[in-house]
Amino acid sequence: MFARFEAMYGARFADAWKCCSIAHVKAVWAEDLGGFSRDELAAGIAGCRSRDWPPTLPEFMKLCRPPIDHQAALLEAIEQMARRESGRDRWSHPAIYWAAVKIGAYDLGRKTLRDLDAEWRKAFGDQMALGQWPEIPERLPALPAPGQTHSREVGKETIQAMLARLKSAAEAHCKASDDGA
């Protein structure tokens, strides 16, 4: 990353750190950016392309994780939760999804923006504070209401298919946990 900055900014990069130990600067940056994803770091570097001067560490962190507008995020949550029923949801950020789940599709679909505002700010703020989020899960079809299945066989097939997906997801989660340990 520092080689990229040096190539992007030339002497301006050297001037920014001339009074510092570059090894110490790199160590601090590495420590503070340790929880950032590759995509977030790439977004930070992309954000530097429009800057005339190299960023400070706090500036770079903001380029990596730009603040998300609460109101726009709430509007996205309302729209995407409604689309989730048909499997057409597309979330711009996992924190928006998880905050929407915390509030629930029912409330997002029925309450006014004014009624949702305080609850949304809390749920969304709590999610953003986490810094890392699980992947947004694929929507799984719900079981039909009692008495609405076509036959006992269709019900068994549906349950078996759901169990197979859950087992596959659990195995993938366990593998990911083992790989990360």
Side-chain angles (χ1 to χ4, degrees):
M1 184 168 60
F2 278 79
R4 169 89 47 159
F5 287 157
E6 191 172 11
M8 290 171 73
Y9 297 111
R12 288 181 179 173
F13 176 76
D15 289 346
W17 308 112
K18 68 182 173 190
C19 296
C20 302
S21 160
I22 196 68
H24 182 67
V25 170
K26 287 180 179 181
V28 170
W29 279 57
E31 180 181 330
D32 286 358
L33 296 173
F36 284 65
S37 72
R38 180 180 287 282
D39 288 342
E40 289 172 323
L41 295 173
I45 290 172
C48 289
R49 291 188 183 111
S50 62
R51 297 176 56 97
D52 293 332
W53 292 91
T56 63
L57 176 58
E59 291 169 340
F60 186 73
M61 292 170 78
K62 288 176 185 171
L63 291 171
C64 292
R65 292 181 181 162
I68 298 174
D69 178 88
H70 283 275
Q71 189 72 16
L74 173 56
L75 293 173
E76 177 181 326
I78 292 168
E79 179 182 353
Q80 297 308 318
M81 279 303 245
R83 291 174 151 219
R84 191 150 177 88
E85 279 301 310
S86 62
R88 297 180 301 126
D89 54 317
R90 300 289 175 262
W91 301 86
S92 66
H93 196 283
I96 297 173
Y97 170 79
W98 291 109
V101 167
K102 173 81 173 149
I103 291 175
Y106 182 83
D107 283 350
L108 286 170
R110 308 265 177 326
K111 289 184 176 180
T112 66
L113 292 175
R114 177 182 280 172
D115 291 340
L116 285 167
D117 187 63
E119 186 178 5
W120 175 255
R121 285 184 180 275
K122 168 88 171 97
F124 186 59
D126 289 349
Q127 281 300 315
M128 290 305 293
L130 295 175
Q132 293 181 336
W133 307 270
E135 291 289 321
I136 296 170
E138 182 180 323
R139 183 189 174 278
L140 297 175
L143 289 172
Q148 298 298 313
T149 57
H150 296 286
S151 68
R152 187 176 283 283
E153 289 74 30
V154 170
K156 285 181 181 179
E157 288 173 10
T158 302
I159 290 172
Q160 290 301 326
M162 292 176 93
L163 288 172
R165 282 194 299 269
L166 285 171
K167 181 180 178 187
S168 174
E171 288 171 353
H173 178 74
C174 288
K175 183 179 182 336
S177 295
D178 290 344
D179 291 345

